[in-house]
């Protein structure tokens, strides 16, 4: 009994004869009616040869030769399907070899079967390459808006720092400068988080269509993701609030008791616990968007899908983060050097702490351009890996490939020939 939700992403819906029944099984179209046998006609007798053994007129059909059954070997368990039996199951006309399993159907960027690491990464890159008309405008516009706001906020933030760095600055001015700095940083982080949420929501819809081999547009992605945006914001805020509260419970007692060892111990407990929770709920965002669920149901779905495969998802997520960080560093570094040597007076000006070396428009705009380019490339890659991890886990646990095949319009997928 499969109680998992269906594939809620838009796509070609199955015909009435192929819609799932109430018990979760797919209804197959009724076979065409056979012509009635004429009564008393000797040509229609019970002595007809079995199907598949009709011979040409005037020839005698040869008796079928028994085929030797292969023994279980090379990891094959007794009772498993033998060679040539995978064709009808995957909509494939026949097995390519005696022992070869035919490739799974691939209507879009991934094959409809459990995915490996390389297929998940390749699927994310293939979506960016094939559907770039929808992917790049989304990330480019959001990254540009975020960086423009960040540059403006940092400009005034660095001005306050320059004032506070003077020799005759009193304690009150110093406290005000620190407060404005913290407030400006909070505004920048909030804008970046909000932009990331919008990108994640829209790209989730683009990747869900790419799995089915369907094209997307920016307007389609926005229309399909907009109803779930507020819930996605709530989910993100709950995760951030949970991380802060968990750190406060573990670290704050040591700080209040003026016990450095206790505070350090709480911090060392907080980090791995935070990583465990982050991986446990890493699939909550695609579950929320694609299943049209509520925030708490999305947390529960992610926990269920990750259960038993935490280390695998952790490894793939960590590798994706490392790749994204390396790509971002390679793109931003030249613009950072340009900011230092062309607009900030070089390393000597930075070492002297000159305000002009930090708050000039050129020094702020140059690295911002690098960040725009980097985020335009990195954000869809990371979002795509998360969505494909969600699809992979549902294929492994819930047989989502059957629903995806029907949504993609593949006929006879998952049926056995007979």
């Amino acid at each position: 009994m499969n109680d998992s939700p269906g594939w809620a992403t838009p796509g070609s819906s199955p015909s009435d004869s192929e819609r799932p029944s109430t018990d979760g099984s797919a209804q197959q179209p009724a076979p065409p009616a056979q012509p009635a046998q004429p009564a008393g006609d000797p040509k229609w007798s019970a002595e007809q040869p079995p199907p598949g053994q009709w011979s040409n007129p005037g020839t005698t059909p040869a008796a079928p030769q028994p085929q030797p059954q292969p023994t279980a070997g090379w990891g094959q368990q007794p009772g498993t399907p033998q060679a040539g039996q995978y064709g009808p199951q995957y909509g494939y006309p026949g097995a390519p070899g005696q022992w070869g399993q035919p490739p799974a159907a691939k209507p879009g960027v991934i094959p409809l079967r459990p995915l490996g690491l390389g297929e998940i990464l390749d699927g994310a890159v293939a979506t960016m390459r094939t559907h770039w008309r929808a992917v790049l405008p989304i990330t480019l516009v959001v990254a540009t808006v975020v960086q423009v706001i960040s540059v403006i906020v940092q400009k005034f933030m660095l001005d306050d720092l320059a004032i506070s760095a003077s020799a005759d600055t009193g304690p009150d001015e110093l406290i005000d400068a620190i407060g404005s700095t913290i407030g400006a940083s909070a505004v920048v982080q909030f804008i970046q988080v909000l932009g990331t949420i919008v990108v994640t929501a829209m790209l989730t819809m683009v990747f869900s269509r790419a799995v089915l081999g369907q094209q997307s547009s920016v307007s389609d992605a926005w229309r399909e993701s907009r109803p779930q945006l507020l819930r996605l914001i709530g989910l993100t805020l709950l995760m951030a609030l949970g991380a802060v509260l968990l750190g406060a419970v573990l670290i704050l007692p040591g700080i209040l008791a003026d016990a450095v060892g206790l505070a350090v111990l709480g911090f060392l407990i907080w980090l791995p616990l935070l990583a465990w929770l982050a991986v446990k709920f890493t699939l909550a965002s695609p579950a929320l968007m694609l299943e049209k669920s509520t925030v708490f149901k999305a947390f529960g779905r992610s926990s269920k899908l990750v259960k038993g495969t935490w280390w695998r998802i952790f490894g793939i997520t960590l590798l994706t983060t490392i790749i994204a960080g390396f790509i971002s560093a390679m793109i931003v570094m030249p613009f950072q050097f340009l900011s230092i040597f062309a607009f900030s007076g070089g390393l000597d000006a930075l070492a002297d702490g000159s305000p002009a070396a930090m708050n000039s428009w050129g020094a702020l705009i140059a690295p911002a351009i690098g960040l725009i380019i980097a985020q335009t490339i990195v954000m869809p890659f990371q979002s795509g890996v998360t969505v494909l991890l969600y699809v992979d886990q549902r294929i492994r646990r819930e047989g989502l490939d059957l629903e995806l095949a029907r949504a993609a319009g593949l006929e006879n997928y998952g049926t056995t020939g007979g």
Side-chain angles (χ1 to χ4, degrees):
M1 185 71 178
N2 188 3
D3 59 350
S4 62
W7 183 252
T9 181
S12 57
S13 28
S15 61
D16 293 337
S17 60
E18 296 176 343
R19 293 186 183 277
S21 61
T22 56
D23 59 354
S25 60
Q27 295 180 356
Q28 301 299 329
Q34 301 293 337
Q37 298 182 2
D41 195 339
K43 295 186 295 181
W44 299 90
S45 63
E47 298 179 357
Q48 300 180 48
Q53 297 184 9
W54 291 96
S55 59
N56 294 326
T59 61
T60 303
Q65 299 294 329
Q67 298 294 331
Q69 294 296 330
T71 58
W74 294 96
Q76 181 183 6
Q77 300 297 327
T80 56
Q82 305 297 331
Q85 294 183 359
Y86 292 93
Q89 180 181 359
Y90 289 94
Y92 194 72
Q98 184 178 3
W99 294 100
Q101 179 178 349
K106 188 178 180 181
V109 294
I110 58 170
L112 300 184
R113 56 170 170 76
L115 304 175
L117 170 62
E119 291 170 327
I120 292 176
L121 299 179
D122 180 71
V125 175
T127 303
M128 295 170 57
R129 183 176 63 251
T130 306
H131 303 272
W132 63 270
R133 289 181 178 85
V135 173
L136 292 185
I138 293 173
T139 54
L140 180 60
V141 170
V142 174
T144 301
V145 172
V146 169
Q147 291 305 317
V148 167
I149 297 176
S150 299
V151 166
I152 295 175
V153 173
Q154 289 178 48
K155 173 66 177 177
F156 295 102
M157 178 185 70
L158 293 177
D159 285 342
D160 290 339
L161 286 178
I163 295 173
S164 64
S166 59
D168 56 349
T169 302
D172 294 337
E173 290 82 359
L174 184 61
I175 293 175
D176 291 340
I178 294 176
S180 62
T181 300
I182 295 176
S185 300
V187 172
V188 171
Q189 292 298 322
F190 177 77
I191 295 298
Q192 290 180 346
V193 170
L194 190 61
T196 303
I197 291 174
V198 174
V199 169
T200 300
M202 298 179 68
L203 289 182
T204 299
M205 298 306 174
V206 174
F207 276 91
S208 66
R209 284 180 170 267
V211 170
L212 302 176
Q214 301 174 357
Q215 295 293 329
S216 299
S217 64
V218 177
S219 59
D220 292 337
W222 171 250
R223 183 179 63 253
E224 294 159 6
S225 62
R226 183 176 55 188
Q228 293 292 100
L229 268 180
L230 289 179
R231 290 181 177 178
L232 185 60
I233 293 174
L235 184 144
T236 305
L237 292 179
L238 277 180
M239 294 182 67
L241 180 62
V244 172
L245 291 178
L246 183 63
V249 169
L250 294 175
I251 303 174
L252 193 59
I255 297 177
L256 295 178
D258 200 15
V260 178
L262 183 60
V264 171
L265 178 61
F267 180 77
L268 294 178
I269 297 175
W270 177 65
L271 279 183
L273 191 58
L274 187 64
W276 178 74
L277 291 174
V279 175
K280 183 180 179 67
F281 298 129
T282 190
L283 303 182
S285 173
L288 177 77
M289 299 301 300
L290 296 178
E291 298 177 13
K292 311 299 182 185
S293 64
T294 61
V295 172
F296 293 103
K297 286 184 178 179
F299 281 126
R301 286 287 293 153
S302 178
S303 177
K304 179 181 177 181
L305 292 173
V306 173
K307 184 178 180 180
T309 57
W310 188 93
W311 283 108
R312 177 176 180 269
I313 296 179
F314 169 76
I316 295 176
T317 305
L318 179 61
L319 178 62
T320 303
T321 304
I322 294 174
I323 294 174
F326 178 78
I327 294 174
S328 298
M330 291 295 99
I331 296 175
V332 174
M333 194 177 299
F335 291 91
Q336 193 67 49
F337 286 150
L338 179 65
S339 170
I340 294 174
F341 294 101
F343 301 105
S344 301
L347 297 177
D348 294 337
L350 290 178
D352 295 338
S354 173
M358 297 183 294
N359 64 349
S360 65
W361 284 108
L364 296 175
I365 293 176
I369 294 175
L371 286 173
I372 291 174
I373 299 174
Q375 291 177 353
T376 302
I377 299 173
V378 166
M379 282 195 295
F381 175 69
Q382 292 181 299
S383 299
V385 169
T386 303
V387 174
L388 295 182
L389 269 175
Y390 163 82
V391 174
D392 173 60
Q393 288 301 111
R394 289 199 60 185
I395 289 177
R396 292 173 183 269
R397 294 180 178 271
E398 303 169 356
L400 182 65
D401 55 324
L402 300 178
E403 291 189 50
L404 293 176
R406 287 194 293 268
L410 300 180
E411 299 180 357
N412 301 325
Y413 183 90
T415 60
T416 56

